[in-house]
Amino acid sequence: MDEKVGKFWNKYVTKKSSRLYDSKQVLFEDKTKSLKIFYHLLGGDKAKELHITDKRFLKTSRTLLEKFSGKGKSFFLAWKDEKALYFPEKLAYFDNQKLNDMHYYWLCAMLSQVDINNTNIIYENQKAAKMLMKKYPGFADFYKKAQPLLIQTYPELSSANPLNKVLADDNSYPNPLWIYPSQSNHNKLLDFDDEEETGRIDGKKDKTEELKMKKKADQVDDEKETDGLLLFLPESLMSFMEQVNVDRQENDAFNEDALYDAQELDEITLGRKDANLSARVKMDLDISAKEEVEDYPLGDGFLRDEWDYKKEIYLKNFVRIKPHIALHVEPVALPVRLKKMMKKIQTELDLMELDRVKIDNLPYGDELNFDAWIEYKGHQNRSNHPQKFFQSYEKKTRDMATLILADISLSTEAGVTQDIRVIDMIKDSLMVFSESLQRLEDKFSVYAFSSIKNKKVNFHIIKNFKEKYSDLVRGRIEVLKPGYYTRLGAAVRESAKILDRQQSANKLLVILSDGKPNDVDRYDGRYGIEDTKKAIEEVKQKGIVPYCITIDVEAKEYLPYLFGRNSYAVIRDAKKLPQVLTQIYMNLTK
């Protein structure tokens, strides 16, 4: 009975203490696309993403009901950093849904104007608010309605006009119409140097792996070991050969509620110990008698530059490209599953008017031109009429050099169906694409890549321009395996150098990827986006046409910024990738 009363009281007090109008709320999820377009129209940085912010704790005045319920200590405030803009998950400050909807656009406009690098954030908010109201009548009308309603609901804001309000410290009551600085984390961060992506052992995508808000984090050193002192004498001690060190104190079961738990935490603490410890013990006792396929590095690699958008300079010789080639590869014929598709594609290639051009008025040739013959017969002075009655067909030369660059990062291990992975579709696409280009007699090369920080960008040579397409090339495609991360800018620059050495008049770089640029270091986020964009600009300056084909459904958020409006294609059904890749190429090179 006491528990029921307590729950009822807690629910009642919490509801009474809330000053939000939940029935009139507007969700950020419903406004994301329109807000991003609006931000770009206002001149906002196209590389920045839009995310949900987490709660921020401030010491400020609270009502008596808020003190009873424990509310009023945390606030969802709009802010931004170098990578993204951060909005509240919902807005419900007004008893009018249109005002709550307009509130999002007001915050978006403020975010486009406020300079976070200016230490005087108060002045920045005042200046931005005055400019918006002066330039846009709609915002002026919104502010005139919103300000008195806010003061009515939150008397704490009535001490001064919000345009002139001074936030001396964190004790000031937060203004929902203002933009706030990012949350600084003063905790000492440990240098985590992990070089592997980890995931579920079954290869499936975790339901809890996407936390759609930025959380405050702390890192602790949990690698401290004891001095080995035993406070008791066991009956027997196992030898080293009899013992496997497994930390049984950790629960390696998959937690379906991890996302919910993470959202409720005020701060997430990270340690070095890995979950799923039992899954990380890999034992392969099936020893094959034949030589295994080996990825052989060709030398120490090459150093390439990388663009730092913050400093607006190239970091000289910052990235190491390490070329690899697979050894002991068994040549394979075209798989049976692809033969039917190739017959259909070859028929389409034969119908294309690419390989033959007609030449008329020849003294001899393959066929008789009846129009020329009739004209000759009807001419009054046949002796002076040229006797060129034949026509011939010659193969039209396509002065084209194409390099296809395939992303084989660890994300390609993801499943398309229960039996097919993304990497399988990429391998099929490379085979079909190579068969098609071989049919067209176009010069082409095939490379694949993945990365581990700037120290190691593995660049796999599958077929170079001088090598003939053969069963051995198909064998190299067949043995491709998912690697690590996607340092796309470095791979694009290396591909551009290879293409630039070709003597062809037309050069095409086709990038096949399943996601946006990322790596375990700072390359994740805007840094990687900006470096890739700079690399694409360098490619265009060399006279090379870049084109990206991806199966990432969220690619429309960043590909227009990287490649331009008509230089990419998003394939929603990964199973159609092999056929669509060739069709796109034919359309590009007609």
Side-chain angles (χ1 to χ4, degrees):
M1 187 65 181
D2 292 342
E3 185 178 352
K4 289 183 179 180
V5 173
K7 287 182 178 179
F8 173 79
W9 172 252
N10 180 66
K11 184 177 180 181
Y12 174 78
V13 173
T14 301
K15 185 177 180 180
K16 292 293 290 184
S17 64
S18 175
R19 291 186 269 181
L20 299 177
Y21 300 93
D22 291 331
S23 61
K24 304 293 183 180
Q25 69 180 9
V26 176
L27 300 177
F28 173 77
E29 186 178 2
D30 299 331
K31 306 296 298 179
T32 306
K33 291 184 179 179
S34 57
L35 286 174
K36 189 160 191 177
I37 295 172
F38 185 65
Y39 180 68
H40 292 166
L41 290 174
L42 291 174
D45 197 328
K46 293 182 179 180
K48 288 193 175 183
E49 299 176 349
L50 275 62
H51 295 301
I52 296 172
T53 183
D54 192 20
K55 53 181 173 280
R56 180 179 302 197
F57 290 90
L58 297 176
K59 293 181 179 179
T60 185
S61 59
R62 292 192 291 163
T63 64
L64 184 62
L65 282 175
E66 284 177 336
K67 291 178 180 178
F68 276 131
S69 64
K71 299 294 182 181
K73 294 187 293 185
S74 61
F75 302 87
F76 293 88
L77 305 173
W79 59 285
K80 68 176 180 178
D81 57 18
E82 294 293 335
K83 296 181 180 180
L85 314 177
Y86 302 92
F87 294 83
E89 185 178 13
K90 63 180 181 180
L91 287 176
Y93 286 97
F94 309 104
D95 192 16
N96 185 316
Q97 196 167 24
K98 289 184 179 179
L99 284 179
N100 290 323
D101 186 83
M102 192 65 177
H103 191 177
Y104 267 121
Y105 290 99
W106 169 267
L107 292 176
C108 186
M110 289 286 286
L111 285 165
S112 70
Q113 300 299 323
V114 172
D115 182 11
I116 59 171
N117 296 319
N118 189 342
T119 55
N120 192 346
I121 195 71
I122 301 168
Y123 169 75
E124 284 294 324
N125 273 281
Q126 293 171 347
K127 183 178 73 171
K130 290 177 181 177
M131 187 279 293
L132 291 176
M133 287 192 291
K134 182 178 180 180
K135 188 174 182 180
Y136 303 103
F139 280 142
D141 183 60
F142 163 77
Y143 198 88
K144 289 176 183 177
K145 293 179 181 178
Q147 179 188 345
L149 291 175
L150 274 177
I151 293 176
Q152 182 180 348
T153 310
Y154 299 90
E156 298 90 339
L157 296 173
S158 62
S159 58
N161 188 310
L163 283 181
N164 304 316
K165 179 175 168 59
V166 177
L167 295 182
D169 51 36
D170 285 346
N171 292 324
S172 301
Y173 201 86
N175 188 342
L177 300 178
W178 276 28
I179 306 304
Y180 283 75
S182 62
Q183 301 186 59
S184 59
N185 185 5
H186 301 293
N187 297 321
K188 183 179 179 181
L189 300 181
L190 300 176
D191 184 17
F192 280 21
D193 220 5
D194 299 332
E195 291 191 345
E196 292 185 352
E197 283 185 275
T198 59
R200 292 183 61 178
I201 188 171
D202 55 10
K204 297 179 181 179
K205 186 176 180 180
D206 289 350
K207 294 180 180 178
T208 61
E209 68 179 3
E210 281 193 47
L211 182 62
K212 297 181 179 180
M213 62 174 63
K214 191 163 186 175
K215 304 288 291 188
K216 186 178 180 182
D218 188 17
Q219 293 175 334
V220 297
D221 188 358
D222 56 354
E223 285 196 325
K224 296 178 181 179
E225 298 179 356
T226 64
D227 56 6
L229 175 64
L230 293 176
L231 299 180
F232 65 97
L233 184 62
E235 294 182 0
S236 62
L237 293 174
M238 291 186 295
S239 69
F240 175 79
M241 297 301 294
E242 295 172 334
Q243 181 175 347
V244 177
N245 186 17
V246 178
D247 188 353
R248 293 297 184 186
Q249 298 302 317
E250 295 201 21
N251 181 9
D252 61 359
F254 180 67
N255 183 8
E256 294 286 351
D257 298 323
L259 178 60
Y260 175 80
D261 295 340
Q263 287 175 333
E264 292 301 308
L265 288 174
D266 298 332
E267 181 175 302
I268 296 177
T269 303
L270 306 176
R272 292 187 63 97
K273 290 184 178 179
D274 297 326
N276 297 329
L277 295 177
S278 60
R280 295 184 62 81
V281 180
K282 299 180 181 179
M283 299 181 184
D284 187 0
L285 302 180
D286 184 11
I287 303 174
S288 176
K290 63 181 182 180
E291 289 183 298
E292 294 182 356
V293 175
E294 180 184 354
D295 241 359
Y296 186 77
L298 303 178
D300 295 330
F302 314 102
L303 294 175
R304 298 287 181 252
D305 299 342
E306 187 167 275
W307 176 252
D308 188 332
Y309 79 97
K310 291 183 179 179
K311 299 178 181 178
E312 294 188 349
I313 59 171
Y314 282 101
L315 303 177
K316 296 296 182 181
N317 298 326
F318 187 73
V319 184
R320 182 174 293 278
I321 304 288
K322 302 200 76 172
H324 285 252
I325 191 165
L327 301 180
H328 313 306
V329 174
E330 183 179 347
V332 297
L334 184 69
V336 177
R337 65 179 181 276
L338 299 178
K339 288 186 176 180
K340 184 178 180 180
M341 183 187 299
M342 276 311 307
K343 285 183 180 180
K344 182 179 179 181
I345 292 175
Q346 285 179 3
T347 303
E348 294 175 0
L349 293 174
D350 292 338
L351 292 174
M352 291 177 63
E353 297 180 1
L354 293 173
D355 54 343
R356 298 182 65 186
V357 58
K358 183 173 71 173
I359 303 177
D360 286 324
N361 301 321
L362 297 176
Y364 54 88
D366 299 331
E367 298 177 4
L368 181 66
N369 188 334
F370 288 101
D371 292 335
W373 172 255
I374 293 172
E375 185 181 353
Y376 169 74
K377 283 293 187 180
H379 203 276
Q380 295 180 353
N381 189 357
R382 297 181 183 177
S383 60
N384 293 331
H385 194 279
Q387 299 182 16
K388 298 180 179 180
F389 313 132
F390 294 90
Q391 62 186 13
S392 182
Y393 292 88
E394 292 185 2
K395 188 167 185 65
K396 183 180 179 181
T397 57
R398 286 162 49 86
D399 197 7
M400 173 70 66
T402 302
L403 187 150
I404 181 166
L405 178 65
D407 166 19
I408 56 169
S409 58
L410 190 61
S411 56
T412 59
E413 183 72 36
V416 177
T417 65
Q418 191 171 4
D419 302 318
I420 302 174
R421 303 169 300 166
V422 173
I423 188 68
D424 299 326
M425 290 293 94
I426 290 177
K427 291 193 287 188
D428 284 357
S429 300
L430 294 179
M431 287 190 185
V432 171
F433 187 78
S434 299
E435 292 283 337
S436 302
L437 267 65
Q438 181 73 6
R439 174 81 177 180
L440 290 170
E441 298 185 10
D442 285 354
K443 293 188 293 183
F444 72 98
S445 61
V446 183
Y447 296 86
F449 79 99
S450 70
S451 65
I452 308 175
K453 298 186 178 181
N454 63 313
K455 303 172 185 177
K456 189 177 181 182
V457 179
N458 294 329
F459 201 72
H460 301 270
I461 303 170
I462 300 171
K463 179 193 175 302
N464 59 35
F465 280 104
K466 295 181 180 180
E467 186 178 7
K468 290 184 178 181
Y469 179 65
S470 63
D471 291 349
L472 180 60
V473 173
R474 276 194 291 268
R476 291 178 190 150
I477 295 174
E478 189 65 30
V479 299
L480 283 176
K481 296 180 181 179
Y484 297 98
Y485 299 93
T486 312
R487 209 173 196 95
L488 186 54
V492 166
R493 288 188 178 91
E494 185 64 21
S495 301
K497 286 184 177 291
I498 296 171
L499 264 173
D500 197 40
R501 291 196 291 265
Q502 305 308 309
Q503 301 301 317
S504 302
N506 303 299
K507 300 172 185 179
L508 176 65
L509 172 60
V510 179
I511 301 167
L512 188 60
S513 178
D514 74 324
K516 65 181 179 181
N518 72 92
D519 209 328
V520 71
D521 54 8
R522 61 177 174 173
Y523 205 82
D524 189 30
R526 188 179 175 189
Y527 183 95
I529 292 288
E530 293 291 351
D531 176 61
T532 303
K533 178 178 172 60
K534 195 70 174 180
I536 296 300
E537 291 175 356
E538 296 166 18
V539 167
K540 293 178 179 178
Q541 290 172 1
K542 294 178 184 292
I544 300 170
V545 178
Y547 196 90
C548 181
I549 301 172
T550 182
I551 60 173
D552 181 11
V553 294
E554 298 180 357
K556 289 185 179 180
E557 299 293 327
Y558 58 88
L559 282 187
Y561 180 72
L562 291 180
F563 291 88
R565 185 172 297 178
N566 300 316
S567 297
Y568 70 92
V570 179
I571 312 301
R572 294 187 177 274
D573 187 356
K575 291 182 289 185
K576 295 182 179 179
L577 186 61
Q579 185 173 353
V580 172
L581 177 60
T582 304
Q583 291 174 348
I584 291 173
Y585 176 79
M586 290 189 290
N587 292 330
L588 286 172
T589 58
K590 277 185 179 179

